[in-house]
Amino acid sequence: MKRPSFRRCGNAPGALSPEDQAVVDQFRALLPVLRNPEAWTPGHGQDIAVRIGPFIERAHPRPGDDHGTETIAVALVHPDTGHAAAHLHGHQLGYTDRGWLRCETTAILGTWQPAYTTLTHAAANLPLPDDIGMTPAHYAVHVEAHHSNGTSRTLLRLGPYTQTWLASHDADRLNTELAGRAATVLPGFTVIAKDTVFAVSDHERYTDPYLADVITMDDVLAGVST
């Protein structure tokens, strides 16, 4: 029985060219990384490798918002981030105009390693697709009045928040005030504050929590007449 033999594809026999050797070296470096990716640990601020369709991209977690077990906030960055030419190339391919995004932890392959570079859109000189499977990671607080007949209305919108815990903190604080006053001021309604996703397209209807003074119950009830 003949043993199978492998031949190098190409027009010229002999030793590999420097360009071909570089490809082979990259492939060899990639194999152990794919087989044994370095585990990602929430809350450590490490750049991560995330799946975007058939590609793998480098993502930078948002400081203070990278400890979720199901979803964290990240920004997609060019794989050569840190080098002078990376910003311009990243802008051309759509890396720099995405902002913060919600990334499900199930899409995280592991911590970022340079060997992943060959699997990115940038390495193929392709722009990121319009739909990358991630929604903007901006957050908000909505104060809503729910009537017993099933109708409801939003009294106040706060946002955008850049971190989920800040939105949750303000929602909890408002709910404490609402529990004491809303029942008497708005009889028949249940008023609650909840943290939610910031609707970028509806930004004019929001009050910026970072520019406004401390939001009080009076601000909430002012929404009844607007």
Side-chain angles (χ1 to χ4, degrees):
M1 183 175 70
K2 292 184 178 181
R3 300 179 62 183
S5 61
F6 297 91
R7 293 184 178 180
R8 170 175 166 253
C9 295
N11 297 323
L16 293 175
S17 68
E19 293 79 8
D20 288 344
Q21 186 63 55
V23 172
V24 172
D25 291 343
Q26 288 178 335
F27 183 72
R28 287 174 174 169
L30 181 61
L31 283 178
V33 172
L34 291 176
R35 290 171 179 167
N36 301 291
E38 185 177 340
W40 167 73
T41 303
H44 285 199
Q46 300 167 298
D47 279 5
I48 56 177
V50 298
R51 298 186 184 276
I52 305 293
F55 293 84
I56 294 176
E57 294 294 341
R58 181 179 180 179
H60 180 68
R62 183 162 60 190
D65 211 5
D66 63 340
H67 54 270
T69 57
E70 296 182 358
T71 305
I72 64 172
V74 303
L76 297 181
V77 295
H78 190 280
D80 294 330
T81 291
H83 299 283
H87 178 77
L88 177 59
H89 193 218
H91 177 72
Q92 293 171 337
L93 299 180
Y95 282 84
T96 60
D97 56 0
R98 299 281 171 164
W100 295 110
L101 302 166
R102 296 167 61 90
C103 175
E104 295 183 2
T105 54
T106 53
I108 299 174
L109 187 64
T111 58
W112 174 259
Q113 299 184 54
Y116 288 127
T117 297
T118 57
L119 301 178
T120 64
H121 286 81
N125 205 32
L126 294 174
L128 291 174
D130 292 334
D131 182 6
I132 58 175
M134 298 182 184
T135 56
H138 297 145
Y139 305 95
V141 172
H142 287 185
V143 181
E144 300 175 347
H146 298 269
H147 197 273
S148 56
N149 63 9
T151 61
S152 63
R153 64 176 300 180
T154 301
L155 306 179
L156 181 68
R157 296 173 174 85
L158 297 173
Y161 291 84
T162 57
Q163 295 186 14
T164 54
W165 72 270
L166 290 174
S168 179
H169 176 269
D170 275 7
D172 290 342
R173 182 177 58 80
L174 285 171
N175 279 324
T176 299
E177 290 195 49
L178 288 166
R181 295 181 55 188
T184 57
V185 179
L186 296 175
F189 285 86
T190 300
V191 183
I192 60 171
K194 65 178 185 179
D195 54 317
T196 185
V197 177
F198 177 73
V200 177
S201 61
D202 205 18
H203 65 93
E204 293 182 353
R205 303 181 67 182
Y206 283 81
T207 298
D208 191 325
Y210 297 101
L211 298 179
D213 294 331
V214 176
I215 301 298
T216 66
M217 183 63 185
D218 292 329
D219 298 309
V220 174
L221 297 178
V224 177
S225 58
T226 58

